[in-house]
Amino acid sequence: MARKTREEAEQTRHLLLDTAERVFWEKGVAATSLADIAAAAGVTRGAIYWHFNNKLDLFTAICDRIMPELEEMESVLLDSRLSPAARLWQHASTLFALVRDNERLRRICGIHHLGCEQVGEMAPLLLEQISWTQEKQARLQQVLEDAASAGQLRDGIEPRLAALGLHSLYGGLCHTWMINPEDNTVHQYIHALISPYFVGIFRDSCWLAEPAAEH
């Protein structure tokens, strides 16, 4: 009997996560209460507090569910079979393919970009966002430093600034798509959109030395 109870509790937890993800996407995080999520899930408010301390805890658990996909995307930057420039090109292809094809990842990224005010009870998310951004830029910078060592960067390109620009380009393109998801231009022409940046920082189309994966 105890085993069944644990299984039912886990089912309830997943139901709450699925429901919260949907309601946050539809209404925004600030406008959604835990009572709203409980009602939408068909459970009591107490069921939420059995699994989560507060709305921030629930939102964090939602974001944790896409970590495997994000780690897969970041692993491309460590692929020693590719040159540094090709790793960055492959990373971009993987990033936008995941956003296009993975509904959960797309929705959670959309909540972060458009539906979550990082103030009040959600204020700790701002510090997490700053830390996450710094970590991602540091990874891009390391690959760009490797590219510089390999003679792939153009003269005068500073890896730190190039990483900031590349990270900002990705974020801007994702935001452009999320405010109008019916417009598929970003995903249809992603290579054409990011190529000018790669042309500006790398020599001789070296990022195309190895073909990007087909999606």
Side-chain angles (χ1 to χ4, degrees), residues 124-183:
L125 287 178
L126 179 58
L127 295 178
E128 290 184 14
Q129 182 70 18
I130 292 172
S131 177
W132 185 88
T133 298
Q134 291 173 338
E135 179 184 337
K136 297 304 173 288
Q137 288 178 192
R139 289 186 182 180
L140 293 174
Q141 180 178 334
Q142 181 58 62
V143 180
L144 285 159
E145 288 173 352
D146 293 342
S149 298
Q152 292 185 312
L153 288 189
R154 292 186 181 277
D155 293 340
I157 297 298
E158 183 178 339
R160 180 179 65 87
L161 297 180
L164 172 60
L166 191 57
H167 187 270
S168 300
L169 175 61
Y170 294 164
L173 288 172
C174 285
H175 183 83
T176 296
W177 178 78
M178 287 172 187
I179 62 175
N180 185 15
E182 300 303 317
D183 184 347

Side-chain angles (χ1 to χ4, degrees), residues 8 19 37 47 51 104 110 173:
E8 289 178 343
T19 303
I37 295 169
H51 294 280
R104 171 165 292 159
L173 288 172

Side-chain angles (χ1 to χ4, degrees), residues 13-34:
R13 186 176 188 276
H14 283 296
L15 171 64
L16 290 170
L17 290 171
D18 289 341
T19 303
E21 181 184 311
R22 174 174 56 80
V23 178
F24 284 153
W25 174 247
E26 293 171 353
K27 297 180 60 175
V29 176
T32 300
S33 67
L34 293 181

